[in-house]
Amino acid sequence: MILCRTIPELKAAVAKWKRELAEGETIGFVPTMGYLHEGHASLMRRSVADNRFTAVSIFVNPMQFGPNEDFDKYPRNEERDLAIAGEQGVDLVFLPSVEEMYPKRPLTKVLVSGVTERLCGASRPGHFDGVGLVVSKLFHLVQPDRAYFGMKDAQQVAVIKQMTEDLNFPVEIVPCPTVREPDGLALSSRNVYLTPEQRRQAVVLSQALQLAADRMDEGAVTPAELTELVKAKIGEADEAAIDYVELLTYPRLEQPEADVNVHEANAPLLLAVAVKFGSTRLIDNRLLQPSEVHAHV
Amino acid sequence: MILCRTIPELKAAVAKWKRELAEGETIGFVPTMGYLHEGHASLMRRSVADNRFTAVSIFVNPMQFGPNEDFDKYPRNEERDLAIAGEQGVDLVFLPSVEEMYPKRPLTKVLVSGVTERLCGASRPGHFDGVGLVVSKLFHLVQPDRAYFGMKDAQQVAVIKQMTEDLNFPVEIVPCPTVREPDGLALSSRNVYLTPEQRRQAVVLSQALQLAADRMDEGAVTPAELTELVKAKIGEADEAAIDYVELLTYPRLEQPEADVNVHEANAPLLLAVAVKFGSTRLIDNRLLQPSEVHAHV
């Protein structure tokens, strides 16, 4: 496995790959902030299976953290990360410093409107501006044919898909399923912050989403009823403080009418939650298929 | 010469080129709004000389025109444009419709701050946002190694260089000299709008810039003295209405101190003018090298 810490090293490696690719062969890319877990590993295995070469980036991007967020204490473990990437068959890891990625203050912004207005876009002002910038930079540096993202960050997938489409990036965005602990908790690098009691209570997120999915299977229900159900369930965990619980169309992330039966929606619906346990903010979501969407497909 | 009107056609042609490129061979790109003149032709010849393949785009981009600007009446002559491109040895012309480039309203913006704040960035609000968007799209579609731009639009070159650097586009930006009529008027597709009398008077732009360059060669002079000299000269043409006359550092486009000797500036200086003759807005500029810049290099 090749390890690149500088942009010239990465460019040289990518140029060599491009020359070695036979017709129809491709490069896959998994951008990460490191502290890798099985969710990341599943993206890497998917990319290794789909492509001739797979590159992984590990970069905790300061531009996507707010001033009061956890950039400084975001967990890092380079040695373990490299071992995990190696075990999945990754060909190259790009591990740049902040100075390498931002030698000067960038004057250019890549801003996506619409899909960034709700959920984490509203809770974390500027977050998706930082994501758009760093993903644009990484796409230009790695020049992949496909890039793999976990659906745990469903809004991030929607934002990157929108950006890729609007700007004609020659990259296919491949969303991949959320990987969960046996009890249902979605894997996240931030889970390491949880106290044992918070960790025990955090299972309430996936349980609440499951409750909503079950309720939907039972028949007609309004968006407000579903989000109230989820809020009530999460409220059972005494350390949980809800940031948001929202039901939106996917991938446009627009609000459906509050008082209509969700089965009459004409797009998949994303039920998304963000919940704080102490200072640790966890997110989770579930895509719900209104029966009408199936009927119309 | 290949003519592509759709994105799939262009992508197929570019993919074929990429397979045919030997090591060290490159693709050159000349983005234009058509109504080609010798300025465009000089960019094409340069690209043809530098690269294995040269692509030209002809697209009057509505996103870079303001609501009261000349998008609808911007001159177009497809047949003549294709003949000119063919004569320069261009390999491919991409001639998309507005619907092909913008099938939906884009939600993504590529915004460059700083270098866009003055000159045409101030006179034409939103203009460079449209330029950033369309150039990003075209770079992703054509995937060139080099892109050629005329220095007549010096601010456009500065904006695109900044964007390319900030976003790590794998494209070298090659600025090329302004091409002029025998009397000094910078070539522009918009020159066709001028009445014979306006055309006769329009020579005052290049004459005023020359006057400033001569004054600078004589010795110490302040930015304010130079811009006043240019304004006075342009004022001699009775149909000329000045939009701006500015002297700025290049390529950052920042204002030098108004009352210091320009020879003490530590960057090249761009003397840029925009002047309206009736409803026709012309721009021109000249890069001035302070003697101190030479001394320090």
Side-chain angles (χ1 to χ4, degrees):
Chain A
M1 190 173 70
I2 305 164
L3 173 60
C4 301
R5 293 189 186 272
T6 71
I7 287 172
E9 285 167 8
L10 174 65
K11 284 189 166 179
V14 168
K16 187 162 175 290
W17 283 358
K18 295 261 174 192
R19 290 195 299 274
E20 289 175 17
L21 288 180
E23 194 173 338
E25 288 185 338
T26 50
I27 294 174
F29 177 45
V30 183
T32 81
M33 297 212 301
Y35 212 74
L36 303 175
H37 51 62
E38 178 56 24
H40 301 107
S42 71
L43 303 178
M44 294 176 197
R45 289 194 298 274
R46 173 77 191 275
S47 177
V48 168
D50 289 354
N51 303 283
R52 165 87 186 273
F53 297 112
T54 288
V56 168
S57 64
I58 297 177
F59 179 59
V60 185
N61 173 34
M63 302 286 287
Q64 73 190 69
F65 286 79
N68 299 313
E69 291 184 358
D70 57 347
F71 173 69
D72 286 328
K73 70 162 190 156
Y74 196 86
R76 291 158 169 93
N77 188 333
E78 186 178 310
E79 200 179 334
R80 200 168 139 267
D81 286 351
L82 292 175
I84 290 171
E87 284 158 18
Q88 317 313 316
V90 164
D91 301 284
L92 181 154
V93 174
F94 178 47
L95 224 159
S97 66
V98 172
E99 285 66 38
E100 190 70 16
M101 289 295 280
Y102 302 110
K104 289 186 269 188
R105 187 176 67 88
L107 300 180
T108 307
K109 289 184 187 243
V110 181
L111 303 183
V112 183
S113 60
V115 289
T116 55
E117 274 154 30
R118 299 174 172 278
L119 309 179
C120 293
S123 296
R124 304 181 66 188
H127 169 65
F128 285 117
D129 303 348
V131 170
L133 180 64
V134 80
V135 171
S136 294
K137 287 169 75 76
L138 291 169
F139 279 5
H140 290 152
L141 291 168
V142 176
Q143 297 179 53
D145 300 285
R146 297 194 187 92
Y148 297 80
F149 294 88
M151 275 299 283
K152 201 221 139 209
D153 299 288
Q155 188 176 21
Q156 176 173 273
V157 172
V159 170
I160 291 169
K161 275 199 160 194
Q162 183 72 44
M163 177 186 91
T164 301
E165 190 181 311
D166 284 342
L167 300 185
N168 301 100
F169 273 99
V171 182
E172 180 193 350
I173 306 305
V174 185
C176 299
T178 302
V179 177
R180 298 176 180 281
E181 300 281 5
D183 69 355
L185 177 68
L187 295 195
S188 165
S189 305
R190 289 186 172 98
N191 290 349
V192 71
Y193 299 148
L194 298 169
T195 66
E197 176 57 21
Q198 289 169 343
R199 169 64 189 85
R200 202 185 60 73
Q201 293 192 14
V203 70
V204 78
L205 271 69
S206 58
Q207 286 175 345
L209 294 171
Q210 181 61 48
L211 209 61
D214 293 344
R215 176 67 190 81
M216 200 160 147
D217 286 345
E218 287 168 19
V221 59
T222 67
E225 284 167 347
L226 281 179
T227 54
E228 285 313 312
L229 194 67
V230 169
K231 285 179 186 170
K233 178 65 188 172
I234 294 172
E236 290 175 8
D238 60 11
E239 295 212 31
I242 291 174
D243 177 358
Y244 62 70
V245 173
E246 286 199 73
L247 186 74
L248 301 173
T249 64
Y250 195 83
R252 292 307 289 257
L253 301 181
E254 291 164 341
Q255 224 162 7
E257 286 177 67
D259 54 355
V260 300
N261 175 9
V262 295
H263 288 285
E264 287 160 17
N266 53 15
L269 295 170
L270 182 76
L271 183 55
V273 302
V275 176
K276 282 190 114 174
F277 288 88
S279 60
T280 304
R281 185 175 172 282
L282 301 181
I283 59 173
D284 200 354
N285 68 76
R286 191 156 173 154
L287 263 187
L288 304 173
Q289 292 289 345
S291 45
E292 294 292 308
V293 174
H294 290 297
H296 290 160
V297 167
Chain B
M1 191 172 71
I2 306 164
L3 173 60
C4 300
R5 293 189 185 272
T6 70
I7 288 173
E9 284 166 7
L10 174 65
K11 285 189 166 180
V14 168
K16 186 162 175 290
W17 282 358
K18 296 261 174 193
R19 289 195 299 273
E20 290 176 17
L21 287 180
E23 194 172 338
E25 289 186 337
T26 50
I27 295 173
F29 177 45
V30 183
T32 82
M33 298 209 303
Y35 212 74
L36 303 176
H37 52 61
E38 177 56 23
H40 302 107
S42 72
L43 303 179
M44 295 177 196
R45 289 194 298 273
R46 173 77 191 274
S47 177
V48 168
D50 288 354
N51 303 282
R52 165 84 186 273
F53 297 113
T54 288
V56 168
S57 64
I58 296 177
F59 179 59
V60 186
N61 173 34
M63 303 286 287
Q64 72 191 67
F65 286 79
N68 298 315
E69 291 183 358
D70 57 348
F71 173 69
D72 286 328
K73 70 162 188 154
Y74 195 87
R76 292 158 168 92
N77 189 335
E78 188 178 309
E79 200 178 334
R80 197 167 142 268
D81 285 351
L82 292 175
I84 291 171
E87 284 158 20
Q88 316 313 315
V90 164
D91 301 287
L92 182 153
V93 174
F94 178 48
L95 224 158
S97 66
V98 171
E99 285 64 38
E100 189 70 17
M101 289 296 281
Y102 302 110
K104 288 187 269 189
R105 187 175 67 86
L107 299 180
T108 306
K109 289 184 186 241
V110 180
L111 303 182
V112 182
S113 59
V115 289
T116 55
E117 275 154 31
R118 299 176 172 278
L119 309 179
C120 293
S123 297
R124 305 182 64 188
H127 169 66
F128 285 116
D129 304 349
V131 170
L133 180 64
V134 80
V135 171
S136 294
K137 288 169 72 78
L138 291 168
F139 280 5
H140 290 150
L141 290 168
V142 176
Q143 297 179 54
D145 300 285
R146 297 194 187 93
Y148 298 79
F149 294 89
M151 275 299 283
K152 199 206 126 225
D153 299 289
Q155 187 175 23
Q156 177 173 272
V157 173
V159 170
I160 291 169
K161 274 199 158 192
Q162 183 72 44
M163 176 187 92
T164 302
E165 189 182 311
D166 284 343
L167 300 185
N168 301 100
F169 273 98
V171 182
E172 180 192 350
I173 305 305
V174 185
C176 299
T178 301
V179 177
R180 297 178 180 281
E181 298 282 5
D183 69 355
L185 177 67
L187 295 195
S188 165
S189 305
R190 289 187 172 98
N191 291 349
V192 71
Y193 298 147
L194 298 170
T195 66
E197 175 57 21
Q198 290 169 343
R199 169 64 189 85
R200 201 185 60 74
Q201 295 192 13
V203 69
V204 76
L205 271 68
S206 59
Q207 286 175 346
L209 295 170
Q210 181 62 47
L211 209 62
D214 293 344
R215 175 67 190 81
M216 200 162 148
D217 286 346
E218 288 168 18
V221 59
T222 67
E225 284 166 348
L226 281 178
T227 52
E228 284 313 312
L229 194 66
V230 169
K231 284 179 188 170
K233 178 67 188 171
I234 295 173
E236 291 175 8
D238 61 10
E239 295 212 32
I242 291 175
D243 178 357
Y244 61 70
V245 172
E246 286 200 72
L247 185 72
L248 301 173
T249 63
Y250 195 82
R252 293 307 290 257
L253 300 182
E254 289 163 341
Q255 227 163 2
E257 286 178 67
D259 54 356
V260 299
N261 175 9
V262 295
H263 288 285
E264 286 160 18
N266 52 15
L269 295 170
L270 182 76
L271 182 56
V273 303
V275 176
K276 283 191 113 173
F277 287 88
S279 60
T280 305
R281 186 174 172 281
L282 302 181
I283 58 172
D284 200 353
N285 69 76
R286 188 153 174 157
L287 263 186
L288 304 173
Q289 292 290 342
S291 45
E292 296 290 309
V293 172
H294 290 298
H296 290 160
V297 166

